[in-house]
Amino acid sequence: MPGEVERLGRFLALLLETNKTMNLTAIRDPRDAWQRHVLDSLSLMPVIEEASPDTPARVIDVGTGGGLPGVPLAVCNPDSPFTLLDSTAKKCAFLEHVARELDLPNVRVVCARAEQAGHDRGKKIDRGGESFREGAMRDSFDLVTARAVGRLATLLELTVPFARVGGLCALIKGRKADEELAEAKQAMHLLHAVHVGSLDTPTGRVVVFEKLRPTPKTYPRPAGEPKRKPLGVPGNKTTDR
Ligand code: SAM
């Protein structure tokens, strides 16, 4: 679309400029940044289409940091609503600035931990004899994305609760993807998610999961626990529900 390349360039310029005073990325060279940030993020484009073929996908990027992969994807999918979630207030303020500067009305920034936001079931509304929930984050998104937010056994617990039943989680991993996948078997079982495919990118591998049933109430566990005691990793006690 016209304007996309220019906007992506402006995003990288803001990211690299702000990176001088705030730790947003280890990559400082603009050419590397196009490859490692923009192209890596856009490797998820086919999964967005798959997650919701008929209507614009509702997407959440968990642990988005400086907006990766969320911002490049939001630029290239203007009809899709994007929620960018991060627990660090300074990064969220940067993302608000990016959304304003790039004029991205489809972007919403939420400053919270995934362990807390993953339990947000919205407000119960009673209307015309029917009751429904509005504004929920749990069980609500067609696609959940994440990059560099921990090993799969941890990351699944932080991401799967946000997906609707039948929705996808597309997690950008590095060379250890297969090793982490083997370790995450029990986490997939407990969270009712299955591995539906992987795709190789120039910098790593995207691992895609589908959520089969609603997430058991226990998950995500309290803040810090998914990282401290990854589900199903030897030495940790987990409950099967
Ligand atoms: N996804 C970005 C990227 O690929 O450049 C940022 C990766 S950075 C290594 C990890 C980010 O995840 C940080 O910004 C951190 O604040 C955020 N984060 C870590 N644990 C989180 C949690 N439990 N809930 C929300 N954000 C979290």
Side-chain angles (χ1 to χ4, degrees):
M1 258 193 37
E4 280 177 3
V5 175
E6 190 252 331
R7 274 180 173 175
L8 292 169
R10 273 165 61 206
F11 166 59
L12 284 187
L14 286 171
L15 185 73
L16 296 181
E17 181 57 33
T18 309
N19 201 40
K20 291 177 185 164
T21 51
M22 193 191 299
N23 188 14
L24 292 170
T25 169
I27 293 164
R28 291 185 166 74
D29 177 66
R31 258 174 307 178
D32 278 357
W34 273 99
Q35 167 87 11
R36 302 279 298 278
H37 288 331
V38 174
L39 298 184
D40 210 28
S41 300
L42 297 184
S43 65
L44 298 181
M45 289 293 276
V47 194
I48 294 198
E49 173 73 21
E50 202 180 315
S52 183
D54 301 323
T55 52
R58 294 160 299 170
V59 185
I60 181 167
D61 187 27
V62 173
T64 188
L68 296 158
V71 170
L73 288 171
V75 167
C76 296
N77 294 274
D79 294 332
S80 279
F82 277 78
T83 300
L84 306 181
L85 179 95
D86 203 278
S87 55
T88 307
K90 273 187 184 174
K91 293 182 182 178
C92 292
F94 167 72
L95 294 168
E96 297 277 11
H97 176 64
V98 166
R100 269 193 312 274
E101 285 290 308
L102 267 57
D103 190 18
L104 293 173
N106 59 329
V107 165
R108 167 176 81 133
V109 179
V110 174
C111 193
R113 286 194 71 105
E115 293 94 325
Q116 169 208 338
H119 283 285
D120 181 351
R121 298 182 64 229
K123 274 193 187 144
K124 194 174 170 206
I125 311 272
D126 294 305
R127 199 177 292 150
E130 278 186 32
S131 68
F132 54 94
R133 290 193 167 269
E134 213 171 61
M137 294 188 74
R138 188 178 175 89
D139 293 328
S140 295
F141 293 87
D142 300 304
L143 177 65
V144 189
T145 62
R147 184 181 82 162
V149 194
R151 64 215 264 192
L152 282 178
T154 295
L155 193 49
L156 283 168
E157 187 174 356
L158 299 179
T159 53
V160 172
F162 292 108
R164 66 169 168 84
V165 171
L168 302 178
C169 293
L171 311 175
I172 303 179
K173 301 302 302 181
R175 290 200 188 90
K176 287 189 177 167
D178 287 343
E179 212 176 291
E180 289 187 23
L181 199 52
E183 185 193 67
K185 260 200 172 142
Q186 178 72 349
M188 284 186 253
H189 171 68
L190 293 168
L191 296 160
H192 307 320
V194 285
H195 175 222
V196 290
S198 299
L199 44 127
D200 287 326
T201 72
T203 52
R205 179 168 285 189
V206 176
V207 192
V208 186
F209 300 86
E210 182 179 340
K211 174 158 156 177
L212 300 178
R213 283 185 276 140
T215 306
K217 279 188 193 147
T218 331
Y219 307 117
R221 290 167 294 161
E225 249 183 80
K227 184 174 178 187
R228 241 184 352 260
K229 302 181 198 164
L231 287 174
V233 174
N236 295 320
K237 271 194 177 171
T238 51
T239 46
D240 192 347
R241 299 187 159 210

